[in-house]
Amino acid sequence: MPQEAPRAGRGHQAESERARRGAVQRVERAPPCRPEEVGEVGARDAVIWLSAVEYAKENPGEKVYFVSSNTSDFTAGDGPYPFPMDQDLEGIWDRFVHLPQLADLLKVVAPSVEVASERVLKLLPSFIKHFLRAATAGWGSPVQAMFHPFPALSQAAGTAKEAYGWYGPEQATRLKALKVTDVQGYRLGDQEWCTASVQWQVTGWTRFTDVMDMGCSIWDTRILLPLVEDGPSPRILWSEKPKAPADPASIDWSGSGLLRDHAHLPKTQRLLDSLRSGSQLERTLAMISYSLQSILAGGNPVTELDVRDALAARRMVGFDDMDPDEREAAVDAARDEALKGYEDWPGPEEHEG
């Protein structure tokens, strides 16, 4: 037990020294801090760098790999370091390996294995939820798309437009791998992994500037994937901004859901009011509110057909008092008449079958 205290003391002293130097470098704006950085951001960069450097110096028998895609602060490690980073590495140059990507580390430390693109394509469906959440978090959520819309092809119009997010619960948006290229396999311990370029087709219910419609975007990624079903979580190493598909005929529109049973609800009626007469901000906020309520209720996303049904239903006296079969018959009978005033909505035959 007496031996533990000095080690703890040295660790605390080293941590304090790193924090002190980090704070000094931030104040002086010395690399890896930058002049434009404010608050604690620069200090964190300095502490990260100094922690790796100190570990290398305290463990002379080990080679240290420093991996960071933050090349603007840490550089890419392929050229001279600025002062005082160059001085930090004195005496450990031959044991301090700086790499910008995790994939670069795999090339260095993991033996390669042959992996066919067909094998990767077969494994991807078991990880769809992970990649779909990444797409939504990265660019596809209604909140993010409100400020940064993305291009998507409108099913009704057959042309590319700006889209403002994917709506409805998670299962309403469909992610399909179109092709897998540039596969590189590695063995890490008893597991095999690979890096691969994957092009995805994303389809779902989205809001365009002038209408709600099914939309489709193409999303290109570079991924790190375990070569086993339901294995460890994969990673997206980098991704490009989504784009609209070039060939409308190649799109698989299957897999979308309907909300006919919910079309008569008050929340849908409020949504329709906002879509018909509200400003763009009001329409966006209405769709966000509707989507959140649908998610909490475990429902499916609203589609154009549901909107048409609801528009028809609202013209009927006593609709709320009808049983489900009567409602369906009444909606079918009134749909054609209701559509006369809403020519922007595509006909039912375009979404059925």
Side-chain angles (χ1 to χ4, degrees), residues 32-262:
C33 305
R34 287 180 288 165
E36 65 271 20
E37 289 179 329
V38 296
E40 298 302 316
V41 175
R44 283 200 301 269
D45 288 341
V47 170
I48 290 171
W49 171 257
L50 293 172
S51 297
V53 169
E54 186 168 303
Y55 180 87
K57 291 182 176 180
E58 291 181 348
N59 297 273
E62 296 185 24
K63 179 175 285 189
V64 175
Y65 295 89
F66 181 81
V67 182
S68 175
S69 59
N70 183 5
T71 57
S72 58
D73 291 328
F74 296 118
T75 80
D78 56 358
Y81 289 92
F83 175 86
M85 295 174 70
D86 56 348
Q87 290 190 353
D88 292 334
L89 297 179
E90 287 184 0
I92 60 171
W93 283 99
D94 58 334
R95 298 187 296 104
F96 193 91
V97 181
H98 183 172
L99 302 169
Q101 295 289 346
L102 183 59
D104 299 321
L105 178 63
L106 289 176
K107 295 177 183 178
V108 176
V109 302
S112 61
V113 295
E114 290 290 331
V115 180
S117 58
E118 292 78 11
R119 181 182 177 188
V120 178
L121 197 59
K122 186 177 180 180
L123 282 171
L124 286 175
S126 66
F127 296 99
I128 283 295
K129 285 187 178 181
H130 175 90
F131 292 113
L132 183 56
R133 288 168 185 166
T136 302
W139 54 271
S141 72
V143 175
Q144 292 192 30
M146 184 190 305
F147 304 100
H148 303 285
F150 53 87
L153 188 136
S154 164
Q155 184 185 31
T159 58
K161 300 181 179 182
E162 283 193 335
Y164 292 84
W166 305 109
Y167 288 91
E170 187 176 87
Q171 63 269 27
T173 305
R174 188 180 181 213
L175 191 66
K176 178 182 179 181
L178 296 180
K179 61 181 180 180
V180 175
T181 57
D182 192 18
V183 180
Q184 298 175 354
Y186 306 94
R187 181 176 295 278
L188 290 173
D190 59 352
Q191 280 194 340
E192 291 184 348
W193 291 69
C194 78
T195 57
S197 297
V198 182
Q199 185 175 84
W200 306 90
Q201 175 184 274
V202 191
T203 54
W205 178 244
T206 187
R207 183 179 70 80
F208 295 101
T209 303
D210 56 346
V211 71
M212 298 298 300
D213 186 24
M214 288 293 294
C216 177
S217 293
I218 301 298
W219 185 40
D220 290 299
T221 63
R222 183 72 178 171
I223 67 170
L224 174 65
L225 184 77
L227 294 174
V228 57
E229 288 188 5
D230 301 318
S233 296
R235 290 189 60 180
I236 295 179
L237 301 177
W238 56 259
S239 65
E240 295 184 1
K241 293 182 179 179
K243 58 188 178 184
D247 181 13
S250 67
I251 301 173
D252 180 3
W253 293 106
S254 63
S256 61
L258 297 175
L259 264 191
R260 293 195 190 199
D261 294 339
H262 297 260

